[in-house]
Amino acid sequence: MKSEAKTVIIGGGIIGLSIAYNLAKLSESDVVVLEKGYLGNGSTFRCGTGIRQQFGDEANIRMMKRSVEIWEGLKEELGHDVEFTQSGYLFLLYDEEELESFKKNVRLQNKFGVPSRIITPEEAREIVPLLNTDGVIGAAWNHTDGKANPFKAVFAYAEAAKRLGVEIYEYTEAKGIKVENGGIKAVVTNRGEIKTGRVINAANAWASKINEMAGVPVDIPIHPYKHQGVKTEPIKPGQIEPMVVSFKHGGVYLTQEANQGGVIGGYGLKYGPTYDITPTYEFLRGVSYRFARIIPALKYVNVIRIWGGFYAETPDGNATIGRINEIDEFYIAAGFSGHGFMLAPVVGEALAELIVDGKTNKPLDFYDPYRFERGELRGKAIQMG
Ligand SMILES: Cc1cc2nc3c(=O)[nH]c(=O)nc-3n(C[C@H](O)[C@H](O)[C@H](O)COP(=O)(O)OP(=O)(O)OC[C@H]3O[C@@H](n4cnc5c(N)ncnc54)[C@H](O)[C@@H]3O)c2cc1C
């Protein structure tokens, strides 16, 4: 293990790896990534794979528009297929209030170049013939949203970062951060100490612990909540290509994996704050019922796996990304709730630009870690899938 590095990133999930890769791409390759388990074992490998630009606020729409542009070219850029598929996102809408709010979102999305639109229940059924549209009065549809394979994306980012000179240490836990006179001196790990002047906290559900280690004086509320995922046995390919979401049914979301044919998804049941991720029978019952409500044919399909993972939640459901002013060269990119996987490419790009160039054209102000202390909550981001 290196005893010195210009930058130490704590957290080997998709966010930490994307930041590492993007720093190296901007010629800042003296970077070490510390991961206390194996890469991706935090939330990233436990996610629902969804990638969407259908948000209800300007910042998340602009960030995701750029992220999707990067996802589109990621296979070529990183040299590995991450199975990004633009199979769309379909939000089922059941009453006038929901319809009006999604119409408003669509107008905003269109303003920033996202080709979403409101469609009829009949059109929704053309996209997913197995869909139960009882009670559905419309749907919000965007064909450029999609999904990708988190296992392959983590591998692709890690390998590309390593090729550019980044060193990645798995099973290496940050245990302490030495700060003197407002500047970082070293990160203490279970395998020894790394002298460094810059730390990036990409520990997501554990981010508050890392802030504590460094003595970050500002209150950045990020708490771990257990959310669960489910996967079924494979069904005939191409049955449920888009991500289908219904808030009416408890925030259920589901999609069929392009490569393996199983249906994966989850719903809004959450527990916490907790670091316990044991899957629950309550979830299995709840998700099975909701899947069958949306796609009745799924009644006859076996569940093969359920698992737990974290939404690292802030009070407004948006991440905290930026510099911590009181400690020179301490940055945070954490608290991604249910949408850190989709945002990872643009977050890596934006934070690397901020660090290397001192500025970025992405709307990082929206994710200002100081907003909570100022009592400035953002509008709650759309959470599911
Ligand atoms: C059920 C479920 C469904 C989801 N669905 C979606 C979805 O469809 N789309 C989407 O975009 N997002 C989804 N998410 C959210 C997404 O998984 C996360 O937002 C994203 O993975 C965050 O990435 P990350 O790198 O910040 O965090 P993580 O992947 O959790 O990485 C943080 C890493 O930090 C490491 N770490 C912590 N402390 C230390 C330490 N002291 N030293 C060293 N390493 C440390 C951890 O081990 C962990 O690997 C879902 C999440 C869940 C649980």
Side-chain angles (χ1 to χ4, degrees), residues 259-280:
N259 64 343
Q260 292 179 16
V263 178
I264 67 166
Y267 79 109
L269 178 69
K270 70 173 183 181
Y271 303 85
T274 178
Y275 280 109
D276 166 35
I277 52 166
T278 317
T280 64

Side-chain angles (χ1 to χ4, degrees), residues 11 13-15 35-36 43-44 47-48 50 174 204 253 337-338 340-342:
I14 190 85
I15 294 286
E35 169 49 56
K36 72 182 168 77
S43 291
T44 303
C47 85
N204 207 36
Y253 59 95
S337 189
F341 178 63
M342 59 182 83

Side-chain angles (χ1 to χ4, degrees), residues 232-246:
T232 72
E233 64 187 330
I235 58 171
K236 200 169 124 191
Q239 300 301 301
I240 314 167
E241 288 185 345
M243 184 72 83
V244 183
V245 187
S246 161

Side-chain angles (χ1 to χ4, degrees), residues 10-17 34-51 89 172-175 202-207 210 213 225-229 243 253 265 307-312 333-343 384-385:
I10 303 175
I14 190 85
I15 294 286
L17 293 168
L34 303 179
E35 169 49 56
K36 72 182 168 77
Y38 54 87
L39 295 182
N41 83 106
S43 291
T44 303
F45 282 176
R46 300 163 187 279
C47 85
T49 75
I51 294 170
Y89 247 79
T172 308
E173 181 170 358
K175 296 276 199 185
N204 207 36
W206 296 267
I210 308 300
M213 285 178 199
Y225 284 86
K226 170 161 69 179
H227 277 251
Q228 296 170 68
M243 184 72 83
Y253 59 95
W307 63 89
F310 297 115
Y311 275 27
F336 284 93
S337 189
H339 35 268
F341 178 63
M342 59 182 83
L343 278 164
M384 310 316 305

